[in-house]
Amino acid sequence: MDSASIHLRRMLSRARYAAIGAAIGAGLGGLFSKEAASTGGAIGALVGATFGETRVTARDRIDRIRARGEEEFKRIPLE
């Protein structure tokens, strides 16, 4: 996988989880007041974007480890 596609996947993941986090944060903050809804939305977006960033990075690492394990398994002579 080239760096451009990894970068694009990371951007899309960040945006997706930021939107989900903002909606959840604003909904929870809206239970208290308008100001809390705004603050909750901002904090939720920040947390969501951070989660989206680490999720893609972790998934790429897991995929690389899995591929490396499959390659090593293919080198084992089965007699």
Side-chain angles (χ1 to χ4, degrees):
M1 194 177 289
D2 63 347
S3 64
S5 65
I6 291 172
H7 185 69
L8 181 61
R9 284 180 55 203
R10 189 176 295 156
M11 280 189 333
L12 292 174
S13 178
R14 249 185 284 158
R16 176 181 176 197
Y17 285 103
I20 292 170
I24 291 171
L28 291 175
L31 296 174
F32 300 105
S33 70
K34 289 180 186 177
E35 291 82 14
S38 175
T39 303
I43 292 171
L46 181 63
V47 170
T50 303
F51 179 75
E53 174 83 21
T54 57
R55 184 162 190 256
V56 170
T57 305
R59 179 171 287 188
D60 287 339
R61 286 184 188 148
I62 291 170
D63 289 342
R64 276 186 267 154
I65 291 170
R66 187 174 292 149
R68 185 176 54 179
E70 289 173 1
E71 289 297 320
E72 288 178 9
F73 182 74
K74 289 179 184 176
R75 288 189 291 178
I76 298 173
L78 300 174
E79 297 179 72

